[in-house]
Amino acid sequence: MKVPLFDMTRQYEKLRKEILKNLDAVFASGRVILGDNVKMLEENVQKYLITKHAIGVASGSDALLIAVKALNFEKGDYIITTPYTFFATASSITRNGLKPLFVDITEKDYDIDLGKVEDILQNHPEKEKIKGFIPVHLFGKSMDLKRLKQIKEKYGIKIIEDNAQSIGAREQIDGKEVYAGTVGDVGTISFFPTKNLGGYGDGGMIITDNDDLAARMRKLRVHGAAKKYHHDEVGFNSRLDEVQAAILKIKLKELEKYIEKRIKKAENYAELFKKHNLEDKIKYPEAKTDKSHVYHQYVVELKKGNRDRLKDFLKEKGIGTSIYYPVGLHSQECFKELGYSEDDFPVTQHATKTTLALPIFPELKKKEQEYVVENIKKYFEEEEK
Ligand SMILES: Cc1ncc(COP(=O)(O)O)c(C=O)c1O
């Protein structure tokens, strides 16, 4: 049996007719940049996430870049973030002439450690230069939104929530449904094909409740021009295109169903790990059904054995896996001048060596999940021989 880490084609089979119909309409209209599809998708995302503004851009990376620029930090300001994330989180800081201040993650779920963040906000020798914070809702799980809100208010720092991976993750706060990405000053989303709401190419979105910020970011996506050919400032060429929006519009309608299916897969994995007595060997995500976790990635951690050997073993059995992330951002060659050493963040360091993402997507079959877990069991049996 072959079990891919992710398979777009199974989804396409189901949506093919509708996708081709929408694409045909885009091509026939001759309007392929910033037309009705982008506008409609922006409105629909706005409604879905209960936010005031949504701005389609070319990628999740650009969403971060534009958001950081729009917040008017000053050259040399520090922005707190996690070293255990995709590269774009931190490059949005350095590309804007700012300094990432990395803070280690928690062992529990690999989120940036908010206790340590507060400690740094109170005790860092240059704490007055810490102006921003980019938390990441990692692997589909919403961070503690209530606490993020409190940190923003208590310390007066700007928060950009990197929600590239977790669209639709939510929490109840004071009896209200609050979505990841909507408690900071700005939230950013990625529509990269593998994401829970993935396009057929690059795409991204920025969300905010702040009218002035929204107007500024709309301008920044078209070279800083509020009026065509009149540039108030130097911006970017970063627009979500009509082709992507026409497809994403269809998939947004399906997103809740996809999330529910992903939750079922997470529950099933948890049951299988228990059934095969793997709990002393594998740490796996809590199976939550309240949609605070939308299981974008299903990342397990080896308590015993060797992660790389398990990866190779599963590959031989036809099972796709991936490592998110093999290198902490503080150890990246391009960030050498920030002066971090590899062991500055022991929890991150440990996670880079012990975690492995297993196949998860809405169309993954029960028997495929069984095959994955049975082979993890076999790996440990062979290790113990
Ligand atoms: C945490 C995180 N931030 C930012 C991005 C960048 O998004 P994109 O690939 O759409 O540029 C990604 C996507 O890979 C991500 O996972």
Side-chain angles (χ1 to χ4, degrees):
M1 188 186 291
K2 277 209 175 338
V3 188
L5 179 67
F6 172 73
D7 184 358
M8 263 181 100
T9 63
R10 295 188 200 180
Q11 205 166 65
Y12 185 58
E13 275 167 35
K14 292 188 181 143
L15 302 177
R16 182 179 190 140
K17 264 198 188 147
E18 217 180 335
I19 287 178
L20 293 180
K21 191 173 136 232
N22 277 15
L23 290 180
D24 185 52
V26 172
F27 300 144
S29 77
R31 178 91 197 248
V32 289
I33 298 285
L34 293 184
D36 290 344
N37 285 287
V38 171
K39 196 157 174 274
M40 200 179 290
L41 182 71
E42 289 176 343
E43 283 168 9
N44 292 348
V45 168
Q46 227 168 278
K47 275 188 215 134
Y48 176 57
L49 298 180
I50 319 170
T51 180
K52 236 171 134 185
H53 304 278
I55 302 155
V57 293
S59 67
S61 303
D62 275 8
L64 281 162
L65 197 63
I66 293 171
V68 173
K69 183 166 172 74
L71 284 165
N72 284 337
F73 298 108
E74 283 166 26
K75 201 168 188 310
D77 281 348
Y78 288 111
I79 312 292
I80 292 175
T81 197
T82 164
Y84 193 62
T85 176
F86 181 63
F87 181 70
T89 313
S91 66
S92 71
I93 301 171
T94 57
R95 289 176 71 188
N96 274 296
L98 309 165
K99 289 188 191 159
L101 194 58
F102 292 120
V103 174
D104 209 356
I105 56 173
T106 65
E107 280 174 32
K108 185 169 174 274
D109 45 26
Y110 319 111
D111 284 343
I112 191 167
D113 187 329
L114 292 177
K116 288 188 181 140
V117 168
E118 289 211 57
D119 186 42
I120 284 204
L121 284 165
Q122 288 166 16
N123 301 313
H124 192 275
E126 294 180 284
K127 64 181 178 199
E128 70 290 345
K129 283 172 72 178
I130 307 175
K131 300 283 176 54
F133 175 25
I134 310 186
V136 177
H137 301 289
L138 197 66
F139 302 149
K141 194 187 105 347
S142 169
M143 283 194 64
D144 182 342
L145 297 177
K146 202 169 179 177
R147 184 129 181 237
L148 284 183
K149 237 175 143 175
Q150 284 162 353
I151 290 176
K152 181 174 154 227
E153 281 152 21
K154 183 168 172 192
Y155 299 95
I157 52 167
K158 301 287 183 203
I159 294 189
I160 298 137
E161 295 173 71
D162 181 344
N163 197 25
Q165 301 185 3
S166 306
I167 187 167
R170 71 207 72 167
E171 270 174 27
Q172 293 286 326
I173 303 183
D174 305 326
K176 274 196 212 140
E177 198 142 79
V178 178
Y179 284 79
T182 65
V183 299
D185 296 273
V186 186
T188 61
I189 297 164
S190 165
F191 299 132
F192 186 75
T194 58
K195 297 293 192 271
N196 287 16
L197 180 59
Y200 283 69
D202 280 308
M205 204 163 265
I206 315 173
I207 54 174
T208 185
D209 282 336
N210 181 315
D211 298 344
D212 294 338
L213 262 180
R216 173 104 189 272
M217 295 189 293
R218 276 192 190 282
K219 205 158 70 167
L220 283 171
R221 81 173 164 181
V222 285
H223 289 294
K227 190 172 151 205
K228 208 169 181 187
Y229 302 127
H230 294 74
H231 302 271
D232 304 333
E233 62 176 316
V234 177
F236 307 86
N237 173 15
S238 184
R239 301 162 301 209
L240 179 66
D241 65 61
E242 283 287 293
V243 164
Q244 295 311 326
I247 300 170
L248 289 163
K249 222 170 60 175
I250 301 167
K251 291 179 76 172
L252 181 60
K253 288 188 294 180
E254 306 292 319
L255 184 59
E256 281 298 298
K257 205 168 68 199
Y258 294 156
I259 288 172
E260 279 152 26
K261 287 187 175 173
R262 285 175 178 271
I263 290 172
K264 287 239 155 61
K265 313 293 157 194
E267 283 183 295
N268 194 36
Y269 268 133
E271 276 164 29
L272 288 166
F273 285 128
K274 274 183 217 144
K275 182 177 138 193
H276 288 286
N277 294 320
L278 284 163
E279 286 176 297
D280 60 331
K281 299 180 179 74
I282 292 281
K283 181 183 142 200
Y284 54 88
E286 197 184 335
K288 290 175 150 206
T289 54
D290 59 1
K291 297 188 178 166
S292 62
H293 200 327
V294 295
Y295 300 97
H296 167 55
Q297 297 295 349
Y298 194 82
V299 175
V300 302
E301 181 177 322
L302 270 74
K303 297 181 185 171
K304 293 179 180 162
N306 179 295
R307 188 268 316 270
D308 295 335
R309 279 207 297 276
L310 171 62
K311 186 174 187 356
D312 291 344
F313 183 88
L314 294 178
K315 190 175 173 196
E316 272 172 34
K317 307 287 178 194
I319 299 167
T321 61
S322 190
I323 297 167
Y324 303 114
Y325 298 89
V327 183
L329 293 185
H330 65 295
S331 307
Q332 295 290 347
E333 179 67 23
C334 64
F335 290 150
K336 227 164 48 188
E337 81 269 16
L338 294 173
Y340 288 103
S341 72
E342 200 158 326
D343 47 11
D344 280 344
F345 304 113
V347 187
T348 295
Q349 206 57 19
H350 182 73
T352 59
K353 294 185 166 66
T354 55
T355 60
L356 190 65
L358 303 181
I360 192 160
F361 50 94
E363 301 78 16
L364 183 69
K365 298 185 183 88
K366 247 185 167 169
K367 62 174 191 300
E368 292 176 316
Q369 287 190 279
E370 275 157 22
Y371 181 71
V372 171
V373 179
E374 277 160 19
N375 276 295
I376 293 176
K377 171 109 177 156
K378 268 189 202 147
Y379 160 78
F380 282 109
E381 283 166 358
E382 292 203 3
E383 280 274 296
E384 282 160 14
K385 262 185 206 161

